[in-house]
Amino acid sequence: MQSRTPSGAEPGPTREEPGPGLSAELVSVVSGARRRAVRDGDRQIDTAHLLHSLLEADPEVRAVFESGAQAVRVLGYLVQRSIGYGLQWQGTVEDSGAVPVVTPARETGWSPAARTAMDVARERAELRGEPRALGMDLLAGLVADPECRAVEVLARARVDVPALLLRIEAGCRQYASEGGHGHGYVGGHGYTGSNGSGV
């Protein structure tokens, strides 16, 4: 599969802070994605970095997948980024074309698609009347862009993305109806991995 992202961006730091409107857990996810981008020598934090960090850090995100095996399969593709299919992404900017690029990516340290997913996550929280976005909000933001790298990974792992989005929405509705307390998400399988971390 050919990369949908153009080349030609200048290398730049991946150090911009995620800004307000994120839960403590989601701030941790963003920090993990940033570390992964730096470690892999990538120019930016992209949607695949965010998906990888979400799966490792958030049990609710893992639980919304169809099965534990499916979640493991997605992680398997993500960890191969630096040695497998993800090599085609090196030296390129993730821009799915879903939204116009206003700020040069090298100035933000975020791919345009990743920045849009973060904005979607915040907007979802605002619509629920909550001050901070959660991991499930970011997952919804990622899968909302059919051309982003995160969705490409999900497709490779044979995830039914429309069905995944339906489970996310069902879970968020129940979470809101329960006032945001406890583990209100539904549609998942409670997968936590062999060591309880999903890794």
Side-chain angles (χ1 to χ4, degrees):
M1 185 180 297
Q2 294 296 317
S3 173
R4 304 184 182 94
T5 53
S7 59
E10 295 296 326
T14 55
R15 62 190 179 192
E16 185 189 60
E17 293 304 312
L22 305 181
S23 66
E25 292 80 7
L26 199 48
V27 168
S28 177
V29 165
V30 170
S31 296
R34 179 182 295 110
R35 288 192 299 271
R36 189 173 302 282
V38 171
R39 184 176 67 240
D40 292 345
D42 293 318
R43 295 168 183 256
Q44 301 170 319
I45 300 170
D46 65 23
T47 58
H49 292 128
L50 290 171
L51 178 62
H52 197 161
S53 191
L54 266 177
L55 279 168
E56 287 186 332
D58 194 326
E60 296 289 359
V61 167
R62 294 191 297 271
V64 82
F65 281 81
E66 189 175 87
S67 67
Q70 187 178 74
V72 168
R73 190 160 61 241
V74 174
L75 272 172
Y77 274 99
L78 288 163
V79 299
Q80 293 179 47
R81 175 181 183 130
S82 63
I83 61 174
Y85 69 92
L87 290 174
Q88 66 184 318
W89 294 339
Q90 291 186 356
T92 65
V93 175
E94 180 188 34
D95 176 17
S96 68
V99 293
V101 179
V102 177
T103 305
R106 64 179 178 272
E107 294 182 7
T108 68
W110 291 74
S111 76
R115 171 57 63 193
T116 298
M118 296 298 297
D119 290 342
V120 169
R122 291 189 183 93
E123 289 168 3
R124 289 173 60 87
E126 290 174 3
L127 287 173
R128 291 198 309 272
E130 295 185 8
R132 291 177 173 80
L134 305 173
M136 293 286 278
D137 295 313
L138 178 55
L139 182 61
L142 294 173
V143 302
D145 180 354
E147 300 297 318
C148 75
R149 291 176 180 176
V151 170
E152 183 175 336
V153 172
L154 293 171
R156 284 177 175 270
R158 302 189 302 279
V159 174
D160 184 335
V161 175
L164 176 63
L165 185 55
L166 287 174
R167 289 195 298 273
I168 293 169
E169 297 297 349
C172 287
R173 283 195 298 271
Q174 179 168 325
Y175 180 87
S177 70
E178 294 178 355
H181 299 295
H183 297 283
Y185 295 117
V186 299
H189 50 83
Y191 171 71
T192 58
S194 59
N195 63 359
S197 66
V199 182

